Structures are given as structure tokens and as C-alpha cells.
PDB file of all heavy atoms in Angstrom:
ATOM      1  N   ASP A   1     172.387  75.517  71.967  1.00 80.00           N
ATOM      2  CA  ASP A   1     172.678  74.474  71.002  1.00 80.00           C
ATOM      3  C   ASP A   1     171.874  74.845  69.760  1.00 80.00           C
ATOM      4  O   ASP A   1     170.650  74.803  69.765  1.00 80.00           O
ATOM      5  CB  ASP A   1     172.245  73.114  71.564  1.00 80.00           C
ATOM      6  CG  ASP A   1     172.470  71.981  70.589  1.00 80.00           C
ATOM      7  OD1 ASP A   1     172.567  72.233  69.368  1.00 80.00           O
ATOM      8  OD2 ASP A   1     172.517  70.831  71.037  1.00 80.00           O
ATOM      9  N   ALA A   2     172.562  75.247  68.698  1.00 82.00           N
ATOM     10  CA  ALA A   2     171.882  75.726  67.496  1.00 82.00           C
ATOM     11  C   ALA A   2     170.974  74.665  66.883  1.00 82.00           C
ATOM     12  O   ALA A   2     169.910  74.986  66.357  1.00 82.00           O
ATOM     13  CB  ALA A   2     172.916  76.188  66.464  1.00 82.00           C
ATOM     14  N   VAL A   3     171.381  73.407  66.959  1.00 86.00           N
ATOM     15  CA  VAL A   3     170.561  72.340  66.384  1.00 86.00           C
ATOM     16  C   VAL A   3     169.278  72.161  67.196  1.00 86.00           C
ATOM     17  O   VAL A   3     168.195  71.988  66.637  1.00 86.00           O
ATOM     18  CB  VAL A   3     171.359  71.023  66.295  1.00 86.00           C
ATOM     19  CG1 VAL A   3     170.476  69.883  65.821  1.00 86.00           C
ATOM     20  CG2 VAL A   3     172.557  71.196  65.353  1.00 86.00           C
ATOM     21  N   ALA A   4     169.388  72.243  68.515  1.00 87.00           N
ATOM     22  CA  ALA A   4     168.187  72.155  69.364  1.00 87.00           C
ATOM     23  C   ALA A   4     167.266  73.339  69.100  1.00 87.00           C
ATOM     24  O   ALA A   4     166.038  73.189  69.062  1.00 87.00           O
ATOM     25  CB  ALA A   4     168.584  72.102  70.838  1.00 87.00           C
ATOM     26  N   LEU A   5     167.846  74.515  68.885  1.00 87.00           N
ATOM     27  CA  LEU A   5     167.045  75.695  68.578  1.00 87.00           C
ATOM     28  C   LEU A   5     166.336  75.522  67.232  1.00 87.00           C
ATOM     29  O   LEU A   5     165.166  75.872  67.086  1.00 87.00           O
ATOM     30  CB  LEU A   5     167.931  76.938  68.563  1.00 87.00           C
ATOM     31  CG  LEU A   5     167.223  78.274  68.350  1.00 87.00           C
ATOM     32  CD1 LEU A   5     166.169  78.519  69.434  1.00 87.00           C
ATOM     33  CD2 LEU A   5     168.236  79.414  68.327  1.00 87.00           C
ATOM     34  N   ALA A   6     167.044  74.957  66.263  1.00 88.00           N
ATOM     35  CA  ALA A   6     166.434  74.695  64.958  1.00 88.00           C
ATOM     36  C   ALA A   6     165.258  73.734  65.086  1.00 88.00           C
ATOM     37  O   ALA A   6     164.195  73.928  64.491  1.00 88.00           O
ATOM     38  CB  ALA A   6     167.477  74.120  63.999  1.00 88.00           C
ATOM     39  N   ALA A   7     165.446  72.694  65.883  1.00 90.00           N
ATOM     40  CA  ALA A   7     164.368  71.718  66.093  1.00 90.00           C
ATOM     41  C   ALA A   7     163.167  72.377  66.763  1.00 90.00           C
ATOM     42  O   ALA A   7     162.012  72.071  66.434  1.00 90.00           O
ATOM     43  CB  ALA A   7     164.879  70.544  66.933  1.00 90.00           C
ATOM     44  N   GLU A   8     163.419  73.304  67.698  1.00 91.00           N
ATOM     45  CA  GLU A   8     162.340  74.016  68.371  1.00 91.00           C
ATOM     46  C   GLU A   8     161.564  74.904  67.392  1.00 91.00           C
ATOM     47  O   GLU A   8     160.334  74.971  67.424  1.00 91.00           O
ATOM     48  CB  GLU A   8     162.902  74.850  69.523  1.00 91.00           C
ATOM     49  CG  GLU A   8     161.892  75.678  70.276  1.00 91.00           C
ATOM     50  CD  GLU A   8     160.923  74.864  71.118  1.00 91.00           C
ATOM     51  OE1 GLU A   8     161.055  73.620  71.174  1.00 91.00           O
ATOM     52  OE2 GLU A   8     160.017  75.470  71.718  1.00 91.00           O
ATOM     53  N   VAL A   9     162.309  75.566  66.504  1.00 90.00           N
ATOM     54  CA  VAL A   9     161.659  76.386  65.471  1.00 90.00           C
ATOM     55  C   VAL A   9     160.740  75.522  64.614  1.00 90.00           C
ATOM     56  O   VAL A   9     159.583  75.879  64.353  1.00 90.00           O
ATOM     57  CB  VAL A   9     162.711  77.095  64.581  1.00 90.00           C
ATOM     58  CG1 VAL A   9     162.058  77.685  63.332  1.00 90.00           C
ATOM     59  CG2 VAL A   9     163.434  78.179  65.358  1.00 90.00           C
ATOM     60  N   ARG A  10     161.236  74.374  64.197  1.00 90.00           N
ATOM     61  CA  ARG A  10     160.436  73.471  63.351  1.00 90.00           C
ATOM     62  C   ARG A  10     159.220  72.930  64.116  1.00 90.00           C
ATOM     63  O   ARG A  10     158.177  72.664  63.532  1.00 90.00           O
ATOM     64  CB  ARG A  10     161.301  72.318  62.852  1.00 90.00           C
ATOM     65  CG  ARG A  10     162.487  72.746  62.020  1.00 90.00           C
ATOM     66  CD  ARG A  10     162.091  73.263  60.661  1.00 90.00           C
ATOM     67  NE  ARG A  10     161.643  72.154  59.849  1.00 90.00           N
ATOM     68  CZ  ARG A  10     160.882  72.272  58.763  1.00 90.00           C
ATOM     69  NH1 ARG A  10     160.464  73.455  58.385  1.00 90.00           N
ATOM     70  NH2 ARG A  10     160.533  71.219  58.082  1.00 90.00           N
ATOM     71  N   ARG A  11     159.371  72.806  65.448  1.00 91.00           N
ATOM     72  CA  ARG A  11     158.245  72.303  66.244  1.00 91.00           C
ATOM     73  C   ARG A  11     157.140  73.351  66.364  1.00 91.00           C
ATOM     74  O   ARG A  11     155.971  73.053  66.176  1.00 91.00           O
ATOM     75  CB  ARG A  11     158.731  71.907  67.647  1.00 91.00           C
ATOM     76  CG  ARG A  11     157.652  71.241  68.504  1.00 91.00           C
ATOM     77  CD  ARG A  11     158.116  71.010  69.927  1.00 91.00           C
ATOM     78  NE  ARG A  11     158.286  72.246  70.674  1.00 91.00           N
ATOM     79  CZ  ARG A  11     157.274  72.956  71.188  1.00 91.00           C
ATOM     80  NH1 ARG A  11     156.030  72.569  71.002  1.00 91.00           N
ATOM     81  NH2 ARG A  11     157.522  74.071  71.858  1.00 91.00           N
ATOM     82  N   VAL A  12     157.538  74.609  66.664  1.00 92.00           N
ATOM     83  CA  VAL A  12     156.516  75.639  66.878  1.00 92.00           C
ATOM     84  C   VAL A  12     155.960  76.199  65.568  1.00 92.00           C
ATOM     85  O   VAL A  12     154.846  76.703  65.525  1.00 92.00           O
ATOM     86  CB  VAL A  12     157.037  76.805  67.761  1.00 92.00           C
ATOM     87  CG1 VAL A  12     157.468  76.293  69.120  1.00 92.00           C
ATOM     88  CG2 VAL A  12     158.158  77.571  67.086  1.00 92.00           C
ATOM     89  N   ARG A  13     156.746  76.131  64.494  1.00 90.00           N
ATOM     90  CA  ARG A  13     156.298  76.650  63.203  1.00 90.00           C
ATOM     91  C   ARG A  13     156.837  75.746  62.101  1.00 90.00           C
ATOM     92  O   ARG A  13     157.850  76.031  61.474  1.00 90.00           O
ATOM     93  CB  ARG A  13     156.806  78.077  63.032  1.00 90.00           C
ATOM     94  CG  ARG A  13     156.335  78.771  61.779  1.00 90.00           C
ATOM     95  CD  ARG A  13     154.864  79.048  61.734  1.00 90.00           C
ATOM     96  NE  ARG A  13     154.459  80.045  62.720  1.00 90.00           N
ATOM     97  CZ  ARG A  13     153.202  80.473  62.839  1.00 90.00           C
ATOM     98  NH1 ARG A  13     152.269  79.984  62.046  1.00 90.00           N
ATOM     99  NH2 ARG A  13     152.883  81.363  63.755  1.00 90.00           N
ATOM    100  N   PRO A  14     156.174  74.593  61.847  1.00 90.00           N
ATOM    101  CA  PRO A  14     156.676  73.598  60.880  1.00 90.00           C
ATOM    102  C   PRO A  14     156.912  74.140  59.473  1.00 90.00           C
ATOM    103  O   PRO A  14     157.733  73.612  58.733  1.00 90.00           O
ATOM    104  CB  PRO A  14     155.580  72.532  60.876  1.00 90.00           C
ATOM    105  CG  PRO A  14     154.893  72.689  62.195  1.00 90.00           C
ATOM    106  CD  PRO A  14     154.954  74.146  62.513  1.00 90.00           C
ATOM    107  N   THR A  15     156.204  75.213  59.110  1.00 89.00           N
ATOM    108  CA  THR A  15     156.369  75.766  57.761  1.00 89.00           C
ATOM    109  C   THR A  15     157.568  76.700  57.648  1.00 89.00           C
ATOM    110  O   THR A  15     157.912  77.143  56.554  1.00 89.00           O
ATOM    111  CB  THR A  15     155.105  76.538  57.339  1.00 89.00           C
ATOM    112  OG1 THR A  15     154.863  77.578  58.301  1.00 89.00           O
ATOM    113  CG2 THR A  15     153.904  75.611  57.258  1.00 89.00           C
ATOM    114  N   CYS A  16     158.212  76.991  58.776  1.00 88.00           N
ATOM    115  CA  CYS A  16     159.364  77.898  58.765  1.00 88.00           C
ATOM    116  C   CYS A  16     160.640  77.104  58.510  1.00 88.00           C
ATOM    117  O   CYS A  16     160.955  76.170  59.237  1.00 88.00           O
ATOM    118  CB  CYS A  16     159.456  78.632  60.104  1.00 88.00           C
ATOM    119  SG  CYS A  16     160.854  79.777  60.222  1.00 88.00           S
ATOM    120  N   GLY A  17     161.370  77.487  57.490  1.00 87.00           N
ATOM    121  CA  GLY A  17     162.657  76.858  57.232  1.00 87.00           C
ATOM    122  C   GLY A  17     163.701  77.387  58.207  1.00 87.00           C
ATOM    123  O   GLY A  17     163.511  78.434  58.831  1.00 87.00           O
ATOM    124  N   VAL A  18     164.810  76.678  58.339  1.00 88.00           N
ATOM    125  CA  VAL A  18     165.898  77.116  59.218  1.00 88.00           C
ATOM    126  C   VAL A  18     167.209  77.051  58.453  1.00 88.00           C
ATOM    127  O   VAL A  18     167.508  76.060  57.776  1.00 88.00           O
ATOM    128  CB  VAL A  18     166.010  76.233  60.487  1.00 88.00           C
ATOM    129  CG1 VAL A  18     167.134  76.734  61.384  1.00 88.00           C
ATOM    130  CG2 VAL A  18     164.698  76.204  61.251  1.00 88.00           C
ATOM    131  N   ALA A  19     167.989  78.126  58.559  1.00 87.00           N
ATOM    132  CA  ALA A  19     169.334  78.161  57.992  1.00 87.00           C
ATOM    133  C   ALA A  19     170.307  78.516  59.107  1.00 87.00           C
ATOM    134  O   ALA A  19     169.971  79.275  60.015  1.00 87.00           O
ATOM    135  CB  ALA A  19     169.423  79.189  56.858  1.00 87.00           C
ATOM    136  N   LEU A  20     171.514  77.953  59.054  1.00 85.00           N
ATOM    137  CA  LEU A  20     172.532  78.208  60.068  1.00 85.00           C
ATOM    138  C   LEU A  20     173.780  78.790  59.420  1.00 85.00           C
ATOM    139  O   LEU A  20     174.188  78.355  58.343  1.00 85.00           O
ATOM    140  CB  LEU A  20     172.920  76.908  60.783  1.00 85.00           C
ATOM    141  CG  LEU A  20     171.801  76.060  61.397  1.00 85.00           C
ATOM    142  CD1 LEU A  20     172.388  74.779  61.970  1.00 85.00           C
ATOM    143  CD2 LEU A  20     171.059  76.834  62.468  1.00 85.00           C
ATOM    144  N   THR A  21     174.393  79.775  60.079  1.00 81.00           N
ATOM    145  CA  THR A  21     175.726  80.228  59.680  1.00 81.00           C
ATOM    146  C   THR A  21     176.692  79.712  60.742  1.00 81.00           C
ATOM    147  O   THR A  21     176.441  79.852  61.934  1.00 81.00           O
ATOM    148  CB  THR A  21     175.819  81.763  59.592  1.00 81.00           C
ATOM    149  OG1 THR A  21     175.567  82.337  60.874  1.00 81.00           O
ATOM    150  CG2 THR A  21     174.823  82.301  58.581  1.00 81.00           C
ATOM    151  N   VAL A  22     177.764  79.076  60.298  1.00 78.00           N
ATOM    152  CA  VAL A  22     178.679  78.380  61.201  1.00 78.00           C
ATOM    153  C   VAL A  22     180.112  78.740  60.844  1.00 78.00           C
ATOM    154  O   VAL A  22     180.453  78.866  59.673  1.00 78.00           O
ATOM    155  CB  VAL A  22     178.485  76.843  61.073  1.00 78.00           C
ATOM    156  CG1 VAL A  22     179.287  76.112  62.127  1.00 78.00           C
ATOM    157  CG2 VAL A  22     177.030  76.472  61.185  1.00 78.00           C
ATOM    158  N   ASP A  23     180.952  78.893  61.874  1.00 72.00           N
ATOM    159  CA  ASP A  23     182.363  79.190  61.612  1.00 72.00           C
ATOM    160  C   ASP A  23     183.090  78.003  61.000  1.00 72.00           C
ATOM    161  O   ASP A  23     183.709  78.117  59.958  1.00 72.00           O
ATOM    162  CB  ASP A  23     183.073  79.613  62.895  1.00 72.00           C
ATOM    163  CG  ASP A  23     182.838  81.080  63.213  1.00 72.00           C
ATOM    164  OD1 ASP A  23     182.665  81.859  62.264  1.00 72.00           O
ATOM    165  OD2 ASP A  23     182.829  81.440  64.390  1.00 72.00           O
ATOM    166  N   MET A  24     183.049  76.851  61.685  1.00 66.00           N
ATOM    167  CA  MET A  24     183.750  75.665  61.209  1.00 66.00           C
ATOM    168  C   MET A  24     182.849  74.437  61.358  1.00 66.00           C
ATOM    169  O   MET A  24     183.023  73.647  62.288  1.00 66.00           O
ATOM    170  CB  MET A  24     185.053  75.467  61.996  1.00 66.00           C
ATOM    171  CG  MET A  24     186.068  76.554  61.762  1.00 66.00           C
ATOM    172  SD  MET A  24     187.588  76.326  62.725  1.00 66.00           S
ATOM    173  CE  MET A  24     187.040  76.777  64.372  1.00 66.00           C
ATOM    174  N   PRO A  25     181.870  74.278  60.479  1.00 68.00           N
ATOM    175  CA  PRO A  25     180.951  73.143  60.619  1.00 68.00           C
ATOM    176  C   PRO A  25     181.654  71.816  60.383  1.00 68.00           C
ATOM    177  O   PRO A  25     182.567  71.719  59.572  1.00 68.00           O
ATOM    178  CB  PRO A  25     179.887  73.402  59.555  1.00 68.00           C
ATOM    179  CG  PRO A  25     180.579  74.248  58.535  1.00 68.00           C
ATOM    180  CD  PRO A  25     181.572  75.080  59.293  1.00 68.00           C
ATOM    181  N   THR A  26     181.224  70.802  61.104  1.00 70.00           N
ATOM    182  CA  THR A  26     181.774  69.459  60.937  1.00 70.00           C
ATOM    183  C   THR A  26     180.699  68.537  60.393  1.00 70.00           C
ATOM    184  O   THR A  26     179.516  68.875  60.388  1.00 70.00           O
ATOM    185  CB  THR A  26     182.251  68.891  62.284  1.00 70.00           C
ATOM    186  OG1 THR A  26     181.106  68.737  63.136  1.00 70.00           O
ATOM    187  CG2 THR A  26     183.267  69.806  62.948  1.00 70.00           C
ATOM    188  N   ARG A  27     181.110  67.358  59.965  1.00 69.00           N
ATOM    189  CA  ARG A  27     180.147  66.395  59.433  1.00 69.00           C
ATOM    190  C   ARG A  27     179.132  65.983  60.507  1.00 69.00           C
ATOM    191  O   ARG A  27     177.939  65.836  60.230  1.00 69.00           O
ATOM    192  CB  ARG A  27     180.890  65.155  58.896  1.00 69.00           C
ATOM    193  CG  ARG A  27     179.973  64.081  58.314  1.00 69.00           C
ATOM    194  CD  ARG A  27     179.170  64.632  57.128  1.00 69.00           C
ATOM    195  NE  ARG A  27     178.179  63.692  56.664  1.00 69.00           N
ATOM    196  CZ  ARG A  27     178.387  62.818  55.687  1.00 69.00           C
ATOM    197  NH1 ARG A  27     179.547  62.772  55.072  1.00 69.00           N
ATOM    198  NH2 ARG A  27     177.431  62.008  55.305  1.00 69.00           N
ATOM    199  N   VAL A  28     179.589  65.828  61.742  1.00 73.00           N
ATOM    200  CA  VAL A  28     178.692  65.461  62.838  1.00 73.00           C
ATOM    201  C   VAL A  28     177.629  66.550  63.024  1.00 73.00           C
ATOM    202  O   VAL A  28     176.439  66.273  63.151  1.00 73.00           O
ATOM    203  CB  VAL A  28     179.470  65.244  64.153  1.00 73.00           C
ATOM    204  CG1 VAL A  28     178.526  65.043  65.322  1.00 73.00           C
ATOM    205  CG2 VAL A  28     180.409  64.050  64.022  1.00 73.00           C
ATOM    206  N   PHE A  29     178.078  67.806  63.027  1.00 78.00           N
ATOM    207  CA  PHE A  29     177.156  68.935  63.174  1.00 78.00           C
ATOM    208  C   PHE A  29     176.171  68.972  62.015  1.00 78.00           C
ATOM    209  O   PHE A  29     174.965  69.155  62.211  1.00 78.00           O
ATOM    210  CB  PHE A  29     177.947  70.243  63.246  1.00 78.00           C
ATOM    211  CG  PHE A  29     177.081  71.456  63.428  1.00 78.00           C
ATOM    212  CD1 PHE A  29     176.719  71.869  64.697  1.00 78.00           C
ATOM    213  CD2 PHE A  29     176.606  72.176  62.341  1.00 78.00           C
ATOM    214  CE1 PHE A  29     175.911  72.985  64.884  1.00 78.00           C
ATOM    215  CE2 PHE A  29     175.801  73.278  62.510  1.00 78.00           C
ATOM    216  CZ  PHE A  29     175.452  73.690  63.788  1.00 78.00           C
ATOM    217  N   VAL A  30     176.664  68.803  60.794  1.00 80.00           N
ATOM    218  CA  VAL A  30     175.803  68.821  59.606  1.00 80.00           C
ATOM    219  C   VAL A  30     174.755  67.719  59.686  1.00 80.00           C
ATOM    220  O   VAL A  30     173.570  67.949  59.424  1.00 80.00           O
ATOM    221  CB  VAL A  30     176.647  68.690  58.319  1.00 80.00           C
ATOM    222  CG1 VAL A  30     175.756  68.461  57.099  1.00 80.00           C
ATOM    223  CG2 VAL A  30     177.515  69.924  58.120  1.00 80.00           C
ATOM    224  N   ASP A  31     175.174  66.522  60.069  1.00 79.00           N
ATOM    225  CA  ASP A  31     174.223  65.397  60.182  1.00 79.00           C
ATOM    226  C   ASP A  31     173.130  65.692  61.197  1.00 79.00           C
ATOM    227  O   ASP A  31     171.945  65.450  60.940  1.00 79.00           O
ATOM    228  CB  ASP A  31     174.962  64.112  60.567  1.00 79.00           C
ATOM    229  CG  ASP A  31     175.813  63.555  59.432  1.00 79.00           C
ATOM    230  OD1 ASP A  31     175.608  63.992  58.272  1.00 79.00           O
ATOM    231  OD2 ASP A  31     176.673  62.698  59.689  1.00 79.00           O
ATOM    232  N   ARG A  32     173.522  66.228  62.367  1.00 83.00           N
ATOM    233  CA  ARG A  32     172.530  66.564  63.392  1.00 83.00           C
ATOM    234  C   ARG A  32     171.572  67.638  62.890  1.00 83.00           C
ATOM    235  O   ARG A  32     170.358  67.573  63.120  1.00 83.00           O
ATOM    236  CB  ARG A  32     173.219  67.067  64.664  1.00 83.00           C
ATOM    237  CG  ARG A  32     173.907  65.999  65.488  1.00 83.00           C
ATOM    238  CD  ARG A  32     174.511  66.601  66.763  1.00 83.00           C
ATOM    239  NE  ARG A  32     173.489  67.207  67.594  1.00 83.00           N
ATOM    240  CZ  ARG A  32     173.617  68.401  68.200  1.00 83.00           C
ATOM    241  NH1 ARG A  32     174.733  69.101  68.058  1.00 83.00           N
ATOM    242  NH2 ARG A  32     172.660  68.877  68.950  1.00 83.00           N
ATOM    243  N   ALA A  33     172.131  68.644  62.216  1.00 85.00           N
ATOM    244  CA  ALA A  33     171.309  69.753  61.730  1.00 85.00           C
ATOM    245  C   ALA A  33     170.301  69.280  60.681  1.00 85.00           C
ATOM    246  O   ALA A  33     169.139  69.677  60.709  1.00 85.00           O
ATOM    247  CB  ALA A  33     172.206  70.846  61.157  1.00 85.00           C
ATOM    248  N   LEU A  34     170.746  68.430  59.774  1.00 84.00           N
ATOM    249  CA  LEU A  34     169.837  67.930  58.740  1.00 84.00           C
ATOM    250  C   LEU A  34     168.703  67.112  59.355  1.00 84.00           C
ATOM    251  O   LEU A  34     167.546  67.214  58.937  1.00 84.00           O
ATOM    252  CB  LEU A  34     170.602  67.097  57.705  1.00 84.00           C
ATOM    253  CG  LEU A  34     171.545  67.888  56.791  1.00 84.00           C
ATOM    254  CD1 LEU A  34     172.352  66.948  55.906  1.00 84.00           C
ATOM    255  CD2 LEU A  34     170.767  68.881  55.940  1.00 84.00           C
ATOM    256  N   LYS A  35     169.029  66.329  60.369  1.00 85.00           N
ATOM    257  CA  LYS A  35     167.991  65.544  61.053  1.00 85.00           C
ATOM    258  C   LYS A  35     166.990  66.455  61.754  1.00 85.00           C
ATOM    259  O   LYS A  35     165.824  66.088  61.934  1.00 85.00           O
ATOM    260  CB  LYS A  35     168.620  64.586  62.066  1.00 85.00           C
ATOM    261  CG  LYS A  35     169.317  63.405  61.417  1.00 85.00           C
ATOM    262  CD  LYS A  35     169.996  62.521  62.448  1.00 85.00           C
ATOM    263  CE  LYS A  35     170.777  61.408  61.774  1.00 85.00           C
ATOM    264  NZ  LYS A  35     171.590  60.634  62.724  1.00 85.00           N
ATOM    265  N   ALA A  36     167.442  67.642  62.171  1.00 87.00           N
ATOM    266  CA  ALA A  36     166.554  68.595  62.851  1.00 87.00           C
ATOM    267  C   ALA A  36     165.721  69.410  61.864  1.00 87.00           C
ATOM    268  O   ALA A  36     164.901  70.223  62.272  1.00 87.00           O
ATOM    269  CB  ALA A  36     167.377  69.531  63.733  1.00 87.00           C
ATOM    270  N   GLY A  37     165.946  69.201  60.560  1.00 87.00           N
ATOM    271  CA  GLY A  37     165.150  69.907  59.557  1.00 87.00           C
ATOM    272  C   GLY A  37     165.770  71.176  59.020  1.00 87.00           C
ATOM    273  O   GLY A  37     165.092  71.983  58.372  1.00 87.00           O
ATOM    274  N   VAL A  38     167.065  71.394  59.272  1.00 89.00           N
ATOM    275  CA  VAL A  38     167.745  72.582  58.757  1.00 89.00           C
ATOM    276  C   VAL A  38     167.857  72.481  57.232  1.00 89.00           C
ATOM    277  O   VAL A  38     168.200  71.438  56.698  1.00 89.00           O
ATOM    278  CB  VAL A  38     169.138  72.730  59.406  1.00 89.00           C
ATOM    279  CG1 VAL A  38     169.956  73.811  58.720  1.00 89.00           C
ATOM    280  CG2 VAL A  38     168.996  73.020  60.890  1.00 89.00           C
ATOM    281  N   LEU A  39     167.547  73.590  56.551  1.00 88.00           N
ATOM    282  CA  LEU A  39     167.599  73.607  55.084  1.00 88.00           C
ATOM    283  C   LEU A  39     168.958  74.025  54.546  1.00 88.00           C
ATOM    284  O   LEU A  39     169.328  73.652  53.441  1.00 88.00           O
ATOM    285  CB  LEU A  39     166.540  74.568  54.529  1.00 88.00           C
ATOM    286  CG  LEU A  39     165.083  74.179  54.737  1.00 88.00           C
ATOM    287  CD1 LEU A  39     164.166  75.267  54.196  1.00 88.00           C
ATOM    288  CD2 LEU A  39     164.782  72.853  54.048  1.00 88.00           C
ATOM    289  N   SER A  40     169.674  74.846  55.294  1.00 87.00           N
ATOM    290  CA  SER A  40     170.936  75.371  54.781  1.00 87.00           C
ATOM    291  C   SER A  40     171.933  75.571  55.913  1.00 87.00           C
ATOM    292  O   SER A  40     171.574  76.062  56.982  1.00 87.00           O
ATOM    293  CB  SER A  40     170.692  76.711  54.071  1.00 87.00           C
ATOM    294  OG  SER A  40     171.903  77.263  53.614  1.00 87.00           O
ATOM    295  N   ILE A  41     173.172  75.163  55.679  1.00 85.00           N
ATOM    296  CA  ILE A  41     174.275  75.430  56.595  1.00 85.00           C
ATOM    297  C   ILE A  41     175.360  76.097  55.767  1.00 85.00           C
ATOM    298  O   ILE A  41     175.857  75.519  54.798  1.00 85.00           O
ATOM    299  CB  ILE A  41     174.824  74.141  57.232  1.00 85.00           C
ATOM    300  CG1 ILE A  41     173.713  73.411  57.983  1.00 85.00           C
ATOM    301  CG2 ILE A  41     175.986  74.463  58.168  1.00 85.00           C
ATOM    302  CD1 ILE A  41     174.119  72.061  58.506  1.00 85.00           C
ATOM    303  N   VAL A  42     175.695  77.315  56.143  1.00 79.00           N
ATOM    304  CA  VAL A  42     176.649  78.076  55.344  1.00 79.00           C
ATOM    305  C   VAL A  42     177.851  78.457  56.191  1.00 79.00           C
ATOM    306  O   VAL A  42     177.705  79.130  57.212  1.00 79.00           O
ATOM    307  CB  VAL A  42     176.003  79.370  54.788  1.00 79.00           C
ATOM    308  CG1 VAL A  42     176.961  80.073  53.838  1.00 79.00           C
ATOM    309  CG2 VAL A  42     174.690  79.063  54.091  1.00 79.00           C
ATOM    310  N   PRO A  43     179.050  78.021  55.797  1.00 76.00           N
ATOM    311  CA  PRO A  43     180.249  78.466  56.519  1.00 76.00           C
ATOM    312  C   PRO A  43     180.429  79.965  56.316  1.00 76.00           C
ATOM    313  O   PRO A  43     180.227  80.485  55.222  1.00 76.00           O
ATOM    314  CB  PRO A  43     181.384  77.694  55.827  1.00 76.00           C
ATOM    315  CG  PRO A  43     180.724  76.634  55.019  1.00 76.00           C
ATOM    316  CD  PRO A  43     179.357  77.122  54.692  1.00 76.00           C
ATOM    317  N   LYS A  44     180.800  80.676  57.375  1.00 72.00           N
ATOM    318  CA  LYS A  44     180.986  82.121  57.242  1.00 72.00           C
ATOM    319  C   LYS A  44     182.121  82.451  56.281  1.00 72.00           C
ATOM    320  O   LYS A  44     182.145  83.512  55.677  1.00 72.00           O
ATOM    321  CB  LYS A  44     181.243  82.733  58.613  1.00 72.00           C
ATOM    322  CG  LYS A  44     180.023  82.675  59.489  1.00 72.00           C
ATOM    323  CD  LYS A  44     180.291  83.316  60.820  1.00 72.00           C
ATOM    324  CE  LYS A  44     179.079  83.144  61.708  1.00 72.00           C
ATOM    325  NZ  LYS A  44     179.281  83.698  63.029  1.00 72.00           N
ATOM    326  N   SER A  45     183.036  81.513  56.123  1.00 70.00           N
ATOM    327  CA  SER A  45     184.152  81.730  55.197  1.00 70.00           C
ATOM    328  C   SER A  45     183.688  81.767  53.748  1.00 70.00           C
ATOM    329  O   SER A  45     184.433  82.169  52.862  1.00 70.00           O
ATOM    330  CB  SER A  45     185.199  80.629  55.373  1.00 70.00           C
ATOM    331  OG  SER A  45     184.621  79.356  55.103  1.00 70.00           O
ATOM    332  N   ALA A  46     182.448  81.354  53.490  1.00 71.00           N
ATOM    333  CA  ALA A  46     181.931  81.337  52.123  1.00 71.00           C
ATOM    334  C   ALA A  46     181.733  82.740  51.576  1.00 71.00           C
ATOM    335  O   ALA A  46     181.670  82.950  50.375  1.00 71.00           O
ATOM    336  CB  ALA A  46     180.605  80.569  52.075  1.00 71.00           C
ATOM    337  N   GLY A  47     181.614  83.721  52.449  1.00 73.00           N
ATOM    338  CA  GLY A  47     181.447  85.095  52.001  1.00 73.00           C
ATOM    339  C   GLY A  47     179.993  85.537  52.016  1.00 73.00           C
ATOM    340  O   GLY A  47     179.067  84.725  51.974  1.00 73.00           O
ATOM    341  N   LEU A  48     179.806  86.854  52.051  1.00 75.00           N
ATOM    342  CA  LEU A  48     178.478  87.435  52.186  1.00 75.00           C
ATOM    343  C   LEU A  48     177.568  87.110  51.007  1.00 75.00           C
ATOM    344  O   LEU A  48     176.394  86.777  51.183  1.00 75.00           O
ATOM    345  CB  LEU A  48     178.602  88.955  52.363  1.00 75.00           C
ATOM    346  CG  LEU A  48     177.324  89.697  52.707  1.00 75.00           C
ATOM    347  CD1 LEU A  48     176.713  89.177  54.007  1.00 75.00           C
ATOM    348  CD2 LEU A  48     177.593  91.193  52.806  1.00 75.00           C
TER     349      LEU A  48
END
């Protein structure tokens, strides 16, 4: 679960930011990720 992994990163290293690359992110996923402290969510369709 990428959001749980992000939360774990923030727990073990609070100063480390987290960014996610997602194929088809949804609003529910985005909301969960933001609550977990994720700084960036980028759809892969956005390009390199």
C-alpha cells in the first residue's frame, strides 16, 4: 500500500519528503496520500 509506505517513511524519517508516481490516481487516493504527508503525486501520463 503506497500510502502506508509513505506514512512509514514519514515516521522513520520525518524530514524526508515523499513523492508518488501513479498510473491512474483518484481523489480518494490523493486524499489518503496527502493525509500521510505525501508532497507530490504525479500521474505517469504527465510525462518524464
